[in-house]
Amino acid sequence: MNQDVVSPSPIRLVVLISGHGSNLQAIIDNITNKNLPAQIVAVISNKADAYGLERAKKAGIKHHVLSYNDFTDREDYDLALKNLIDEYQPDLIILAGFMRILSDEFVEHYSQKMMNIHPSLLPKYKGLNTHQRALDAGEKEHGCSVHFVTTELDDGPVILQATVNIEDNDTAETLATRVHQQEHRIYPEAIRLFAEKKLKLK
Ligand code: NHR
Ligand code: GAR
């Protein structure tokens, strides 16, 4: 065996979801196809009916529901979430359509170890309802961004972006579909850059 060629050992990911989980699926597929030196050690959803949980189950990945309704406030919830995540000793936390804002304390605990995919060309259209807002503003281009999560919402350092052209007949739905295709390409790629230690914060 050639000792000089050392492939990086798979990094441990915990993926947080709230819904469909198509980005989760893209990450699973890239790992399966050996395009991504990572392993998903757990999937956690804040919604019991998130379809992404089925994807985790099908892939044989441990999964949990942590519902906000079972907690009295955000701090309480975030503490439980942090304790659950830390049982898995992850190298990187992946927000994949996770729809709850996280407290400063939580975010600082995972400083430079948590990524999000946001459906806009940041710094444009932070927050929610991004596709409709881009259409309403008459934009010619839209897209998605992978960024490190900081305490400022959707404001952390951008890792990768992808652009799609907006067509005259686009609706929020048709636009979202094309943006999703790009998300599924750049999110696994951003995780790969992290795993290969190719990301440097400036
Ligand atoms: N937390 C911090 N501290 N910083 C970020 O950049 C975060 C974050 C948590 C989630 C994803 C984000 C996005 O990509 C994200 C980034 C949810 C909301 C929101 O308003 C906003 C942005 C994002 C996720 N959530 C409502 C809330 O009160 C609930 C909305 C709902 O349940 O439908 O938490 O856009
Ligand atoms: C994705 O488009 C992601 O960019 C967006 O939710 C979708 C989740 O899809 N994230 C946010 O809007 C965060 N506020 P998925 O569950 O199929 O991966």
Side-chain angles (χ1 to χ4, degrees), residues 76-111:
D76 225 27
Y77 181 83
D78 284 7
L79 184 62
L81 184 58
K82 181 175 82 144
N83 288 338
L84 178 58
I85 290 172
D86 286 350
E87 284 178 32
Y88 288 96
Q89 299 185 295
D91 300 301
L92 183 64
I93 318 301
I94 298 296
L95 305 185
F98 186 68
M99 296 307 288
R100 288 208 59 83
I101 294 173
L102 297 160
S103 61
D104 290 0
E105 206 193 346
F106 182 96
V107 171
E108 276 155 13
H109 182 67
Y110 300 110
S111 174

Side-chain angles (χ1 to χ4, degrees), residues 14-49:
V14 167
V15 182
L16 305 188
I17 62 168
S18 299
H20 193 58
S22 66
N23 279 288
L24 167 66
Q25 189 67 54
I27 296 164
I28 292 171
D29 292 347
N30 273 271
I31 292 172
T32 305
N33 297 335
K34 307 219 184 303
N35 287 325
L36 182 56
Q39 54 177 319
I40 302 175
V41 289
V43 169
I44 303 170
S45 172
N46 69 318
K47 303 268 188 203
D49 60 355

Side-chain angles (χ1 to χ4, degrees), residues 85-198:
I85 290 172
D86 286 350
E87 284 178 32
Y88 288 96
Q89 299 185 295
D91 300 301
L92 183 64
I93 318 301
I94 298 296
L95 305 185
F98 186 68
M99 296 307 288
R100 288 208 59 83
I101 294 173
L102 297 160
S103 61
D104 290 0
E105 206 193 346
F106 182 96
V107 171
E108 276 155 13
H109 182 67
Y110 300 110
S111 174
Q112 297 176 36
K113 288 175 64 177
M114 180 157 54
M115 287 182 188
N116 178 43
I117 185 133
H118 182 74
S120 79
L121 293 172
L122 291 173
K124 286 187 169 179
Y125 308 112
K126 298 175 181 179
L128 304 178
N129 205 16
T130 56
H131 308 299
Q132 191 60 54
R133 284 160 61 209
L135 286 174
D136 291 348
E139 298 281 2
K140 296 281 169 261
E141 286 187 334
H142 185 47
C144 49
S145 309
V146 180
H147 66 96
F148 281 113
V149 175
T150 61
T151 53
E152 290 297 313
L153 190 65
D154 296 330
D155 194 50
V158 169
I159 299 163
L160 287 176
Q161 290 185 313
T163 302
V164 305
N165 292 325
I166 294 182
E167 312 294 341
D168 288 343
N169 57 357
D170 260 327
T171 63
E173 287 70 31
T174 59
L175 189 53
T177 302
R178 293 205 307 289
V179 171
H180 267 126
Q181 292 167 353
Q182 296 304 315
E183 292 186 10
H184 302 159
R185 189 173 62 75
I186 67 170
Y187 213 176
E189 176 65 15
I191 298 166
R192 196 164 64 79
L193 292 173
F194 182 95
E196 293 176 347
K197 297 192 166 38
K198 287 180 178 162

